[in-house]
Amino acid sequence: MTRTIGLIGGMSWESSAEYYRLLNEETRRRLGGHHCARSLLLTLDFAEIEAMQRAGDWEAAGRRLAQAAKTLEQAGAEMVLLCTNTMHRVAEVVEAAIGVPFVHIVDATAERITRAGLTTVGLLGTRFTMEMDFYRSRMLRHGLEILVPDEPGRTLVHDVIYRELTQGRVEDSSREAYRRIITDLAERGAQGVILGCTEITLLIGPQDSAIPVFDSTRIHVEHAVDLASR
């Protein structure tokens, strides 16, 4: 690996820890020995970001994340990853603030799905990710149709993320509820399902689904390692 990867983390720190672990495991898997990833991690206070989300103040959130990206670039990052799906709502602001590549999680995930030959996929994430247009429209650019759970399902998926996963809680009952929601998406025509929140990988995986699972966290990391190695 030749390039330094900058990570904007803390949203939540549980998933940021997963990013750091996966990044170094993938680097060691490819290079062997004692190799690890050249990386910089800047951790934001999720309480502040979450308050901006609830208030709908995406402009302020964009400024905060753009400044974080600038800080990483100034510290030597040669590419930047935003370690969260939801905050890609402000990805364009972050990308415009830096002169190094911004590695977009939706593009990386979409490319993996299209390589698998799928055209219609279910999406699990925060309410913002499932209901706002920023995720769906970016996927549409890649020719992918997105299905989301019904209203009770969206509420359950969102609440598990914020009340449990971002608090370090992993509950068997929530895993079973997510499995039921994935089954429902498959019955509606989903050929695969996106784990479109970086914490969901802590709860479920391929073993919990009869259709292919696309873990956006792992895909994002693997794509970044690809880029860093070029």
Side-chain angles (χ1 to χ4, degrees), residues 123-153:
L123 172 64
L124 303 180
T126 66
R127 183 176 295 281
F128 309 110
T129 299
M130 292 185 289
E131 295 182 356
M132 289 181 169
D133 187 55
F134 73 95
Y135 209 97
R136 185 189 304 271
S137 62
R138 189 108 183 177
M139 281 287 176
L140 189 60
R141 296 183 197 176
H142 295 267
L144 296 173
E145 180 184 353
I146 296 296
L147 301 177
V148 298
D150 59 15
E151 168 46 38

Side-chain angles (χ1 to χ4, degrees), residues 1 5 26 52 83 87 96 116 125 155 159 177 198 212 217 222 229:
M1 180 178 294
I5 299 172
E26 181 63 16
M52 294 174 189
C83 302
M87 294 314 298
T155 296
D159 287 349
T198 52
T217 302
E222 290 174 352
S229 302

Side-chain angles (χ1 to χ4, degrees), residues 32-178:
H34 296 288
H35 285 286
C36 57
R38 290 175 53 186
S39 62
L40 298 166
L41 172 61
L42 195 162
T43 302
L44 301 181
D45 185 353
F46 187 43
E48 297 176 358
I49 301 299
E50 191 271 338
M52 294 174 189
Q53 291 175 345
R54 281 188 288 108
D57 196 350
W58 300 100
E59 184 176 344
R63 290 195 300 269
R64 183 70 57 85
L65 269 60
Q67 183 56 55
K70 289 179 185 177
T71 299
L72 285 169
E73 182 178 16
Q74 291 165 357
E78 295 167 278
M79 66 180 67
V80 171
L81 276 67
L82 184 52
C83 302
T84 159
N85 279 273
T86 296
M87 294 314 298
H88 276 72
R89 166 70 175 74
V90 297
E92 291 181 0
V93 176
V94 177
E95 186 171 18
I98 54 178
V100 296
F102 176 81
V103 185
H104 202 294
I105 197 169
V106 176
D107 292 340
T109 304
E111 288 169 12
R112 184 71 60 88
I113 295 167
T114 55
R115 285 208 306 269
L118 279 57
T119 57
T120 304
V121 285
L123 172 64
L124 303 180
T126 66
R127 183 176 295 281
F128 309 110
T129 299
M130 292 185 289
E131 295 182 356
M132 289 181 169
D133 187 55
F134 73 95
Y135 209 97
R136 185 189 304 271
S137 62
R138 189 108 183 177
M139 281 287 176
L140 189 60
R141 296 183 197 176
H142 295 267
L144 296 173
E145 180 184 353
I146 296 296
L147 301 177
V148 298
D150 59 15
E151 168 46 38
R154 294 198 301 275
T155 296
L156 186 148
V157 170
H158 179 91
D159 287 349
V160 167
I161 292 167
Y162 278 87
R163 296 177 183 177
E164 297 175 16
L165 299 179
T166 60
Q167 300 293 315
R169 291 172 51 204
V170 178
E171 304 288 348
D172 288 339
S173 59
S174 297
R175 181 178 295 110
E176 186 56 37
Y178 270 50

